[in-house]
Amino acid sequence: MNKLALPDRILMEIEKPARYIGNEINMIKKNPAQVEIRFCMCFPDVYEVGMSHLGIQILYDMFNRWEDTYCERVYSPWTDLDKAMRREHIPLFALESQDPIKDFDFLGITLQYEMCYTNVLQVLDLGGIPLRWKDRTWDHPIVIGGGPCVYNPEPLADFFDLFYIGEGETVYRQLLDTYKTSRRLKETREEFLYRCTQIEGLYVPRFYDVDYREDGTIASFGPNRDGVPEKVGKQVVTDLSDAPYPLKPVVPFVKVIQDRVTLEIMRGCIRGCRFCQAGMIYRPLREKDVEVLKEHARQMLQSTGHEEISLSSLSSSDHSGLAELVNFLIDEFGSKGVNISLPSLRIDAFSLDVMRKVQDIRKSSLTFAPEAGSQRMRDVINKGLTEEDILKGAALAFSGGWNKVKLYFMLGLPGETEEDIKGIAWLSEKIAETYYAIPKDKRIGKCQITASSSFFIPKAFTPFQWSPMGTKKEFLDKARIVNEEMKAQLNRKSLRYNWHEADLSELEGVFARGDRRLCDVLVKAYENGALFDSWSECFDREKWDDAFARCGMDPSFYTTRPRERDEIFPWDFIDAGVSKTFLLREWDRAMAGQVTPNCRVQCSGCGAMKYKGGVCCEGQD
Amino acid sequence: MKVRIKFAKSGVMKYVGHLDMVRYFQKAMRRAGIDISYTAGFSPHQIMSFAQPLGVGLYSEGEYIDIETAGGLTSREAVDALNAVMADGVRILSYRKLPDDAGNAMSIVARADYLVQFSRPLDADRAERFFRGTEPIEVEKKSKRGVTTVNIRPMVSGWELRDENRSLWLRLSAGSASNCKPELVLDALALADIIEKNEAVQITRLELYADTGTKQQPVCTPLEDLGEDIV
Ligand code: SF4
């Protein structure tokens, strides 16, 4: 019988106890006594969210292929269990062995969104691991962070021994070998971490110092020790088709968000939207070979028994073998009751044809992400989707039987005018008019156009990293203007508009471009009880306002302040591939309303060419 | 053809609830390569139904699922194929073909046997008096529509103390006509002060039965006995 860390009494009192028992299909079982390295992989959110994340499954699989390593998983205990564990002093444990995470060699935490930061502290705290690296000894695991948020790791600098910048497939083996050597030689934790600075892609915050000017901006940022590199280069897998991929992913018992096979078809994006961090930091675009993908699909459906497969990428339509792959999936698995889900597809004749085969048209809706309401603004953000594209795509879909459209926009983009945001309503109206232009007997009832807007948050390593972010009041005022304009349209009865709340966006904006001084604010907010901030039922703005006030910090310093072109940013020490020259050039072009062609039309010399892979080398054997 | 599958649930799997078990088996059928039939339409789903949901926290030695399949496997092969893809704590016990006109498990289930294990012996005399009495045993039953009071006396068709009075065997009404969860009996025992309120117990469902007798003379037949092995 498998042992459990939690007593029956607690498991029976909490919601969804199956979140905490492990034992899932394809879970890896090893004898912890027979491995040299115990690695605990953490997604600091509730199980259903964490288990839906592809990155962890990739690393879990890769680590466990190594005989000397046992990789296990841990997620944030939900608030009910959190209380019970504190009440009864039960240390946080890994799902597989149910052993306390404190006893592991490594605790790897993936940082997918800023609003999970208090959950990082929760995991450490419940795990009995000191929150700050300066209080840890060899009695504690090495705490290492990864994921997109590490492109500005500074707001977490006090809590992590190490950050891994970039794609996990490249230097983890080197890190583990270094660890083994270091432990064999009985080196100190600091000596081990110093060795890590010599591994590409690893950032050890304790070996860097920051000085600030009187105005609060950074005066200098650099190594405080000889031999520690000035810059840390992101890690990139050049050949994805060869990279390890989890062919037997863990299948949860509880229904998770991604209850399906996720087939990663490529990484990176050619589009160069100027607000999009993923589009910049994952450059260059690298496709996986279609034959490899077919085989992966087959094996993963077999090993999991999932009834759905979803293609994962930033922009699936840009995969050169998409049609072949999709047709294969439909022919091979469609008849076996397997659903095929195709997010991030451009709406055109091909995709509509595919969607007709894999979805119920009456129930499904078309999705467009124009991101901005006016063509002028779409040029500013370099979103290469024109009004003509949208209306043509919609017309094609309407004549094919669809009548629901979803539109995604952002508010608060740099240089936005009232015309630009009213454009959201006007574009929605034009789509509705396109629908009603179809002869009555050829359409099915009314159409339903739903526009949603979120608030623009400038991110590190995007051309908009210099842009001020709007305030909550500005956001809400803008949302109101759009809402009024929607109501003023002829087809208002077919239009719907909803917008995200702004409190969370403001906070996300602070951490997205924040610095180390925010570590204290985070701890204070956590002590105030902030947890699961990305969950609206848990988020409490007051706990944060109080934390900022007590630390004497002004959040607007990080959000609404305009930044000089030569300001030293907290993340400048990272080499993310895209050069600062390129980003500045893009920022200038944005302000001039000039579009930049995508990588396949013309290379813009962003800097990612140095990785010698993917789209940068296409067509030049 | 119609097939009835019997399985046991133990260990940590007792924390996996009914709806999750349904999804678990849908995926397990695919992993095991059982040629299960699907409903027609745009989102086809497997033709599969469970006899009776099992509450979180209970073990079972007699759970049932009915499926519709194109066939092709012997009972032996199917049991092995399914057991090869089970999680620790779920074991397939039988895989039997049903007559074409057989009612599905959910509609014919009539009784269920349970074993309730206590951490200390019960007072046998008091238990005896409790179960042998004739006055109504009234307990509160919570449902979506609120709390109602029910008399569970007629739903307890058998009881026995076992294991030096540390375990209580129960045969209770089950199914859509009248259903009594073992927890209700425990509530009643607590009300009668025979056990403590919320006393730590482990409940195991032992078997599910159809009633193959007459109104006067009920006969409890284990659901698996209504099918026969495919050889
Ligand atoms: S170097 Fe050129 S082709 Fe390569 S990612 Fe950058 S812009 Fe695109």
Side-chain angles (χ1 to χ4, degrees):
Chain A
M1 198 70 42
N2 301 334
K3 69 165 184 175
L4 289 176
L6 298 170
D8 184 67
R9 182 172 39 78
I10 291 185
L11 283 161
M12 290 306 290
E13 99 189 19
I14 57 175
E15 207 185 296
K16 302 192 193 172
R19 285 168 172 166
Y20 310 107
I21 60 172
N23 195 45
E24 305 99 317
I25 297 298
N26 296 335
M27 179 187 99
I28 302 287
K29 289 173 211 162
K30 291 190 185 185
N31 181 350
Q34 281 170 0
V35 296
E36 285 177 79
I37 295 168
R38 298 190 70 183
F39 198 110
C40 189
M41 194 61 81
C42 170
F43 191 109
D45 206 321
V46 75
Y47 180 87
E48 293 91 313
V49 175
M51 275 305 290
S52 300
H53 183 245
L54 175 64
I56 286 206
Q57 295 258 17
I58 292 178
L59 294 179
Y60 180 77
D61 169 73
M62 181 185 81
F63 280 122
N64 282 318
R65 288 179 192 213
W66 296 329
E67 234 170 77
D68 62 349
T69 308
Y70 188 13
C71 179
E72 307 186 31
R73 297 159 297 145
V74 68
Y75 303 96
S76 281
W78 186 244
T79 49
D80 54 354
L81 179 60
D82 176 284
K83 283 196 195 79
M85 290 175 80
R86 287 173 204 273
R87 185 182 73 215
E88 312 210 3
H89 306 286
I90 299 170
L92 186 60
F93 54 92
L95 295 181
E96 278 75 2
S97 63
Q98 301 270 313
D99 286 339
I101 62 171
K102 183 173 174 283
D103 299 342
F104 282 65
D105 297 288
F106 286 90
L107 173 63
I109 305 182
T110 182
L111 303 161
Q112 296 291 321
Y113 31 83
E114 288 80 2
M115 290 301 94
C116 74
Y117 289 177
T118 50
N119 282 63
V120 170
L121 301 186
Q122 176 214 29
V123 166
L124 294 171
D125 193 12
L126 289 177
I129 301 164
L131 297 186
R132 298 179 198 260
W133 54 255
K134 66 175 170 45
D135 301 318
R136 292 183 201 134
T137 67
W138 272 137
D139 285 343
H140 308 108
I142 295 288
V143 181
I144 178 165
C149 291
V150 302
Y151 285 88
N152 179 24
E154 284 297 280
L156 298 170
D158 287 0
F159 314 121
F160 284 82
D161 295 293
L162 275 174
F163 287 102
Y164 184 122
I165 319 280
E167 295 171 348
E169 290 97 336
T170 60
V171 296
Y172 259 122
R173 188 60 254 180
Q174 211 180 327
L175 170 64
L176 300 192
D177 288 337
T178 305
Y179 178 78
K180 289 203 304 195
T181 309
S182 197
R183 295 314 303 262
R184 205 177 308 122
L185 298 173
K186 303 239 179 321
E187 291 182 342
T188 64
R189 205 170 161 100
E190 180 130 336
E191 282 165 334
F192 162 66
L193 289 165
Y194 181 78
R195 280 180 185 264
C196 291
T197 63
Q198 307 305 307
I199 302 175
E200 254 185 76
L202 297 187
Y203 167 52
V204 187
R206 74 181 69 190
F207 296 133
Y208 294 79
D209 285 340
V210 193
D211 286 317
Y212 300 94
R213 294 179 214 279
E214 237 163 75
D215 65 4
T217 58
I218 293 175
S220 70
F221 185 113
N224 56 22
R225 236 201 230 217
D226 286 346
V228 174
E230 299 262 347
K231 283 239 172 198
V232 180
K234 80 159 175 186
Q235 292 304 293
V236 173
V237 177
T238 35
D239 185 358
L240 270 188
S241 302
D242 267 356
Y245 199 70
L247 300 177
K248 291 180 169 186
V250 176
V251 185
F253 296 119
V254 294
K255 188 160 171 66
V256 300
I257 296 169
Q258 296 284 341
D259 179 30
R260 53 186 72 89
V261 166
T262 306
L263 191 63
E264 183 188 37
I265 63 169
M266 58 186 184
R267 273 185 211 167
C269 182
I270 56 172
R271 301 271 148 194
C273 298
R274 291 175 179 133
F275 57 86
C276 178
Q277 191 188 36
M280 295 291 158
I281 61 178
Y282 296 132
R283 282 180 175 222
L285 171 124
R286 289 145 293 154
E287 294 184 354
K288 270 198 202 178
D289 181 74
V290 176
E291 292 308 318
V292 171
L293 290 171
K294 288 179 185 172
E295 189 49 32
H296 284 185
R298 195 196 312 274
Q299 290 191 32
M300 292 170 81
L301 284 166
Q302 173 57 42
S303 70
T304 59
H306 280 310
E307 39 283 286
E308 184 166 341
I309 182 165
S310 170
L311 304 189
S312 154
S313 77
L314 292 168
S315 168
S316 300
S317 301
D318 291 329
H319 194 293
S320 55
L322 184 76
E324 187 187 342
L325 177 66
V326 169
N327 287 326
F328 166 83
L329 294 176
I330 294 174
D331 294 346
E332 193 80 5
F333 307 114
S335 60
K336 295 177 188 151
V338 173
N339 294 322
I340 296 158
S341 119
L342 303 160
S344 75
L345 269 196
R346 199 169 38 241
I347 304 296
D348 56 20
F350 166 73
S351 60
L352 288 173
D353 184 46
V354 167
M355 282 160 66
R356 193 171 293 120
K357 288 182 196 156
V358 301
Q359 302 170 345
D360 187 344
I361 296 178
R362 283 162 305 160
K363 287 186 195 139
S364 67
S365 52
L366 295 175
T367 304
F368 293 99
E371 307 292 358
S374 69
Q375 193 54 48
R376 187 197 78 82
M377 201 68 228
R378 284 193 292 276
D379 289 347
V380 169
I381 63 177
N382 206 40
K383 183 85 202 184
L385 184 67
T386 64
E387 182 169 303
E388 203 194 337
D389 294 335
I390 297 171
L391 296 181
K392 261 195 185 159
L396 205 60
F398 291 151
S399 59
W402 274 270
N403 61 1
K404 290 192 207 71
V405 178
K406 282 189 198 151
L407 299 164
Y408 291 100
F409 296 97
M410 282 187 291
L411 288 176
L413 289 161
E416 194 173 67
T417 65
E418 194 161 317
E419 294 277 296
D420 294 324
I421 62 171
K422 284 184 173 167
I424 294 176
W426 301 336
L427 180 61
S428 307
E429 168 67 15
K430 280 183 196 152
I431 297 173
E433 283 168 9
T434 306
Y435 181 78
Y436 293 111
I438 299 173
K440 208 166 181 173
D441 55 319
K442 295 225 174 84
R443 54 185 205 232
I444 317 142
K446 280 188 170 1
C447 68
Q448 199 187 94
I449 318 292
T450 310
S452 315
S453 63
S454 59
F455 297 124
F456 167 63
I457 301 167
K459 298 262 164 144
F461 291 109
T462 66
F464 289 169
Q465 63 180 354
W466 287 275
S467 170
M469 182 178 158
T471 62
K472 178 180 171 183
K473 184 172 178 312
E474 284 164 5
F475 282 145
L476 296 177
D477 287 347
K478 286 182 173 179
R480 244 180 309 259
I481 292 174
V482 179
N483 202 29
E484 298 286 299
E485 195 63 24
M486 282 279 186
K487 288 188 192 141
Q489 303 304 307
L490 209 59
N491 290 300
R492 57 187 166 274
K493 290 212 171 105
S494 300
L495 309 184
R496 273 179 210 179
Y497 177 60
N498 49 56
W499 61 94
H500 289 203
E501 49 142 338
D503 274 321
L504 218 58
S505 309
E506 267 192 337
L507 201 56
E508 195 181 322
V510 169
F511 287 102
R513 292 187 295 170
D515 56 42
R516 310 186 157 191
R517 290 170 297 184
L518 289 169
C519 291
D520 291 337
V521 178
L522 256 169
V523 172
K524 195 40 83 216
Y526 174 68
E527 286 169 358
N528 285 348
L531 196 62
F532 286 107
D533 295 299
S534 62
W535 294 75
S536 53
E537 70 255 51
C538 298
F539 180 66
D540 179 358
R541 175 72 189 248
E542 273 175 31
K543 291 180 172 134
W544 284 96
D545 288 344
D546 177 76
F548 278 104
R550 279 164 188 269
C551 296
M553 302 272 286
D554 176 9
S556 70
F557 173 80
Y558 299 102
T559 50
T560 57
R561 178 175 62 88
R563 281 146 163 95
E564 297 296 329
R565 296 168 74 88
D566 59 356
E567 180 173 333
I568 300 173
F569 293 138
W571 54 90
D572 278 351
F573 73 94
I574 294 173
D575 172 4
V578 286
S579 67
K580 203 158 190 177
T581 328
F582 166 75
L583 294 175
L584 267 174
R585 195 163 66 227
E586 281 294 289
W587 176 228
D588 292 337
R589 290 176 71 91
M591 291 302 99
Q594 288 174 309
V595 297
T596 296
N598 76 52
C599 294
R600 283 209 176 111
V601 172
Q602 190 188 72
C603 168
S604 308
C606 74
M609 188 85 78
K610 66 181 170 201
Y611 303 116
K612 299 191 175 64
V615 67
C616 315
C617 308
E618 266 174 23
Q620 31 174 289
D621 280 317
Chain B
M1 68 180 178
K2 288 183 183 177
V3 165
R4 179 158 296 156
I5 300 170
K6 182 180 190 182
F7 70 96
K9 195 177 170 195
S10 64
V12 305
M13 290 305 290
K14 73 173 186 174
Y15 299 109
V16 179
H18 173 67
L19 290 177
D20 290 337
M21 284 309 286
V22 174
R23 289 180 333 101
Y24 165 85
F25 268 103
Q26 287 166 349
K27 294 181 201 293
M29 294 295 161
R30 295 169 169 283
R31 288 196 302 273
I34 302 292
D35 194 0
I36 192 164
S37 310
Y38 287 82
T39 58
F42 230 109
S43 45
H45 53 265
Q46 298 178 348
I47 302 180
M48 177 195 284
S49 63
F50 277 59
Q52 171 104 340
L54 184 72
V56 173
L58 274 68
Y59 297 138
S60 179
E61 290 170 14
E63 293 303 289
Y64 289 95
I65 312 170
D66 285 358
I67 63 167
E68 189 76 50
T69 148
L73 295 176
T74 64
S75 291
R76 194 52 207 257
E77 287 164 346
V79 168
D80 289 348
L82 282 164
N83 274 330
V85 299
M86 287 294 114
D88 273 2
V90 188
R91 205 157 32 87
I92 304 297
L93 302 174
S94 71
Y95 181 99
R96 291 185 171 170
K97 181 183 181 341
L98 293 174
D100 286 338
D101 59 353
N104 75 28
M106 201 192 330
S107 64
I108 58 169
V109 66
R111 297 271 192 285
D113 285 356
Y114 295 92
L115 191 71
V116 185
Q117 290 165 289
F118 300 90
S119 48
R120 57 187 176 92
L122 295 197
D123 181 331
D125 292 338
R126 297 188 59 194
E128 171 113 24
R129 248 174 286 136
F130 175 85
F131 284 112
R132 292 227 187 278
T134 50
E135 72 287 1
I137 306 176
E138 308 238 288
V139 286
E140 287 187 340
K141 195 174 177 177
K142 284 192 204 91
S143 74
K144 283 188 196 97
R145 262 169 274 134
V147 184
T148 48
T149 308
V150 285
N151 172 20
I152 59 168
R153 168 94 56 207
M155 303 185 205
V156 182
S157 48
W159 71 279
E160 189 179 286
L161 283 173
R162 293 181 179 174
D163 184 25
E164 295 170 340
N165 302 335
R166 285 169 187 275
S167 306
L168 172 65
W169 173 85
L170 291 167
R171 176 163 294 175
L172 304 176
S173 295
S176 48
S178 117
N179 191 52
C180 179
K181 289 185 181 176
E183 288 88 344
L184 288 182
V185 179
L186 295 178
D187 287 350
L189 286 169
L191 276 176
D193 266 339
I194 296 170
I195 61 169
E196 310 237 335
K197 198 170 155 45
N198 297 327
E199 183 157 330
V201 297
Q202 178 59 56
I203 307 175
T204 304
R205 177 141 82 194
L206 300 173
E207 186 58 272
L208 288 171
Y209 303 93
D211 182 353
T212 51
T214 59
K215 203 153 190 192
Q216 290 72 31
Q217 200 69 57
V219 175
C220 285
T221 307
L223 292 184
E224 69 177 330
D225 290 0
L226 299 173
E228 55 188 42
D229 276 337
I230 312 161
V231 286

